[in-house]
Structure formats: structure tokens, C-alpha cells
Amino acid sequence: MGFCREAGRRWRIAGGMALRSALLLILVVVVAALQESCFGASSHSMKYFYTSISDPSQGLPQYVAVGCMDGQVFVHYDSNSRRMEPRVSWMEEVGKEDPQYWDRETQIQRDNEEPFKANLEIARTRYNQSQGLHTWQLMYGCELRGDGSKGGFYDFGYDGRSFLTFDKETLSWVAPDPQALITQRKWDALSTWNQRNKVYLEGDCVEWIKKYLSYGKRTLLRKEPPAVTMSSKMEVENGMEMHVCRLDGFYPREIDASWTRDGEVWLPDTLRGSVGPNADGTFHTTLSIWIDPKERGHYRCHVEHDGLQEPLDVALKVPESNLGLIVGCVVAGLVLACAIVGTLIFLKRRQGDYRAAPSE
């Protein structure tokens, strides 16, 4: 459910998850996948994540399917509702143009429920696990890169680990665990099916990306520039400074940010944060660096993004001195003390004047 980039994909659900954590299963997968997804500039992706659960409880569906376009969940199905439904407003246009679309997509997912359940039982037998919470998953999708090239993948997983991965160049399956070798040999022998998988990833799948982009272009093709803010602090022990360049509110997700020293990209002592989603569909990330205060003037936070008319080079912020803060506090304390003393003297004098007044 959700997606990750093809290079470096990894499953995020740990095997042997406790039953009480089952309700978080779907959310964890979606969030992790969104955080991992990253492609080159102007690329677009469509990915699906299917999950079958061995021991659903407390209303958790036994089977769930979620589709994402460019990091945005746009369709959803589960075994409780048994309907494929839109999750974004622009998908409603698809049903208007093709009245059978939602019925077809619903039937595909209904047909998936039993095979996924059966495959989950087979995997449990292979790993000699008869009880407890276990998952069988499929993550697949494609991307259309800015240079016109295409990418695609199928990746089956069990309990958060990769079980079988499709190599579309060799039309074969890769099995990282011995328990998957039996299935690998069976699927490698299905040459016609494997050829269809490749054709789909490089053909129909990419065509659907183009079609969905036409429906959701106001959302998926919009460009929001990043807001850049700088913060800093000084490490008292070694005298070094940490500077943080925060980028927020940008769309699309792809962004090129780096620290530069005298105009050249500087990697030492640099920490790059992951790109995360905001509630409004935009993204944020951070870039930090440790430097010698004497070298402060040499560094800039360099930012390039499709929402910017030209690259940004933001200078470092001078850390506030702790001494200045201390002096400020002392001055404020003295002012307060003087005010208190002055008030007491004033009240004392007023009191004395009252007693000296003549009686009538």
C-alpha cells in the first residue's frame, strides 16, 4: 500500500508484528512509502500496494489495496467495503468518462482476495509459522522520467521482507530467501506471463500515468516554490556551529538542495533530512551542516526547484550569542529590582504623609 522508488526499495513492516499493532499496519505502510518515494526532476509515478493479513481484528480488513499517483493516494479498496473508491476529487472524472471503470477495478480487487489469502498460507507453511499475525504483500508500479525513459517493478513480500522481485530485463524472478526458491522456479517457467508483465510495466502502466495526469493536472502538475528558513546554534564545547536550512511547502516532491562553499557543492559534515509530506499535499525537508564560525561567510544553502524561477542561495544566519542573552536577563532583573524598590519608597512616603495630616 503506497510506493517506494524502484532503486533501494525496501519493505517497512517488521516480521512478527504484535497483534495489538495491527490497526497501525496500513498507516505505517503508506507513510513509510511516501517518505521513501523519490524520483528525478519532472518524473511521474503510479504505484499500487496490496496487503493480505492473516489475523485481522477490531475491524481491520483482511485485504487492502491502495493506489498512488506521484505520492498521492488516489484509489482505495478493502475487504470490508468491497468497493474500489476514489480518494481524490479529480478521480471522479474518470467514472464520468468511463462508467464501467469503478466496477472493473472493484472486480479486479475482489478476484485478488482469495489468491492473496492462499499465497499467505503457503508462505506461512514455507516459514513454518502456523500462528500469529502475518502479511502477504505486493508492491508494483511504473514511472515516466523527465528524460522520457521508463521504469517499473513487481515486488512480493512476506512479513515485511522481500520474497520475490521481478527483473523485467531478464524476465526472471529474484528470490532473496531459500523459502522462495520453489515459487521462483515455477514463475521463471511462465515465460508468456513474465513477458506480459514487462509489456504492462512499460506500456499500459505508463499510459495510465499519462491519463491520470490529464485528469489531475491541476493538482499533480502544479508548482509550489519552497519557503526557505535558516536557523543555527553554537556548540559550546568545541566552538562549532550547526546551521539548518529548512525547505517547506514545495510541490512537486523533487528538489535539489545542497550546501555550497564558495559556490561549490560541499558534502563534509552535511546531514540531509528525508523529504516528508505536509497535510496540504506539499512537502518539506531539512539540510544541516557543522562549520567553523570563522568560515561562516563561505557557505550558502543552494536550492533548485521547478517552482522557482531561478535557484536560491541563502546566507547563513548568525547564531545569537548566549552572552547577549545573559546580559539581557541581568539588565531586565536590575530594572525590575529598581522598579520594586521605587514602589516601596513611594508607598512608604505616602504612608508617612497620611499620618502627619492634621485631624479635624
Side-chain angles (χ1 to χ4, degrees), residues 261-281:
R261 177 183 168 87
D262 296 331
E264 301 293 331
V265 174
W266 186 258
L267 298 179
D269 302 314
T270 297
L271 179 62
R272 185 181 301 274
S274 61
V275 178
N278 295 322
D280 62 358

Side-chain angles (χ1 to χ4, degrees), residues 42 218-225 250-252 305-308:
S42 302
R218 295 183 63 179
T219 299
L220 301 175
L221 298 180
R222 75 185 192 277
K223 296 179 180 179
E224 301 286 347
F250 58 88
Y251 191 94
H305 185 265
D306 287 347
L308 296 171

Side-chain angles (χ1 to χ4, degrees), residues 287-300:
L287 194 66
S288 60
I289 189 172
W290 285 100
I291 67 166
D292 185 330
K294 298 177 182 179
E295 303 292 320
R296 190 185 301 143
H298 295 276
Y299 293 88
R300 296 289 186 275

